[in-house]
Amino acid sequence: MWHTIFAGNACSPDCDWAGADRAGMLFFAFTVGSFVVTAVGVVVAWRKQIDLAWLPLLSSAMIVAGLFLALFLFDQAMT
């Protein structure tokens, strides 16, 4: 976890740069999805007058899962 998804010149010339870009886009998609889930949850909680205290946990878990998946794909692209 000490490296970044957008590493720049951290790899040899035979790396899969398209794969590295896909990893970055996947993480971005997970992040946007997290915001969408949070927004929808807020609207549902407001309209139904229910408590959705688990929503921040789900949103954070989506970002962490996206990060781990993106790091895995990034490592595969850089080897």
Side-chain angles (χ1 to χ4, degrees), residues 1 27 30 57-71:
M1 290 197 36
F27 180 66
F30 266 81
L57 180 63
L58 175 66
S59 180
S60 299
M62 284 179 65
I63 291 177
V64 171
L67 174 67
F68 286 142
L69 184 58
L71 287 175

Side-chain angles (χ1 to χ4, degrees), residues 1-2 6 8-11 14 22-23 29 35 38 41 45 47 49 53 59-61 64 70-71 76:
M1 290 197 36
W2 296 107
F6 301 106
N9 296 324
C11 137
D14 60 343
R22 281 192 300 274
F35 282 109
T38 301
R47 288 191 177 190
Q49 298 297 317
S59 180
S60 299
V64 171
L71 287 175
Q76 294 296 320

Side-chain angles (χ1 to χ4, degrees), residues 6-44:
F6 301 106
N9 296 324
C11 137
S12 64
D14 60 343
C15 292
D16 180 17
W17 291 108
D21 286 340
R22 281 192 300 274
M25 290 186 294
L26 178 73
F27 180 66
F28 181 75
F30 266 81
T31 303
V32 169
S34 170
F35 282 109
V36 169
V37 166
T38 301
V40 169
V42 166
V43 169
V44 168

